[in-house]
Amino acid sequence: MKIAVGADHGGFALKEEIKAFLINEGHDVTDMGTHSFTSTDYNDHAIKVAEGVRDHTFERGILVCGTGVGMSIMANKVQGVRAALVHDVFTAKATRLHNDSNVLTMGGRVVGPGLALEIVKVWVDTAFSHEERHERRVQKIDQY
Ligand code: RB5
């Protein structure tokens, strides 16, 4: 799967772990930065990843900041992006099945790498359910 990853300084360390994990799983990963712990605006990385998902350059995006909140707010401004802020495995699965989320955001200061990689694995590997009620609700999001 073609996946773009991005982070600010608060998510840099976890983004590096996620990137290595995804590459090891056989995914085609593009890194939209940041590449160090130097302070940077989460917005700039969120936009690059979210626009790539919107344009179908990437099937999915994963964004990490300190809390995951700034990344989710910013990414969800981009038409066609359904970004989900997730810190547990249940929600990771549910948001793929129900919301067809195409961007995952997490907080590098909230979850450790062990849990984060479990979340990433479940989120990447779970397909949208395509149940009629979920299709209808996702269409309402996209049409708004
Ligand atoms: C940066 O200090 C922090 O505000 C950012 O990583 C993120 O948590 C914002 O939502």
Side-chain angles (χ1 to χ4, degrees), residues 8-11 39-40 42 64-73 107-109:
D8 71 356
H9 52 289
S39 183
T40 182
Y42 58 80
V64 191
C65 60
T67 59
V69 175
M71 288 297 197
S72 65
I73 292 171
R109 296 171 183 158

Side-chain angles (χ1 to χ4, degrees), residues 94-107:
T95 191
R96 286 292 308 133
L97 290 170
H98 293 199
N99 315 120
D100 196 15
S101 55
N102 48 18
V103 171
L104 170 69
T105 80
M106 286 188 289

Side-chain angles (χ1 to χ4, degrees), residues 8 21 31 36 39 66 82 99 119 128 134-135 137 140:
D8 71 356
F21 175 76
D31 188 347
S36 76
S39 183
R82 293 178 300 279
N99 315 120
I119 288 167
F128 180 45
H134 296 310
E135 294 264 20
R137 292 162 188 165
K140 285 187 176 183

Side-chain angles (χ1 to χ4, degrees), residues 25-137:
E25 291 272 297
H27 296 288
D28 178 353
V29 181
T30 300
D31 188 347
M32 298 295 194
T34 190
H35 303 290
S36 76
F37 289 107
T38 304
S39 183
T40 182
D41 295 342
Y42 58 80
N43 317 72
D44 305 329
H45 310 284
I47 289 168
K48 283 182 188 167
V49 169
E51 289 188 345
V53 171
R54 174 198 65 191
D55 297 342
H56 304 292
T57 306
F58 309 107
E59 292 172 70
R60 307 271 192 90
I62 298 178
L63 290 163
V64 191
C65 60
T67 59
V69 175
M71 288 297 197
S72 65
I73 292 171
M74 192 72 242
N76 275 316
K77 294 284 185 190
V78 177
Q79 186 77 39
V81 166
R82 293 178 300 279
L85 170 58
V86 174
H87 288 133
D88 66 275
V89 174
F90 173 81
T91 307
K93 191 174 180 80
T95 191
R96 286 292 308 133
L97 290 170
H98 293 199
N99 315 120
D100 196 15
S101 55
N102 48 18
V103 171
L104 170 69
T105 80
M106 286 188 289
R109 296 171 183 158
V110 180
V111 282
L115 175 57
L117 296 183
E118 276 195 48
I119 288 167
V120 166
K121 171 92 178 135
V122 166
W123 186 79
V124 167
D125 290 349
T126 303
F128 180 45
S129 70
H130 286 288
E131 288 178 33
E132 191 279 331
R133 68 186 190 284
H134 296 310
E135 294 264 20
R136 184 179 67 244
R137 292 162 188 165

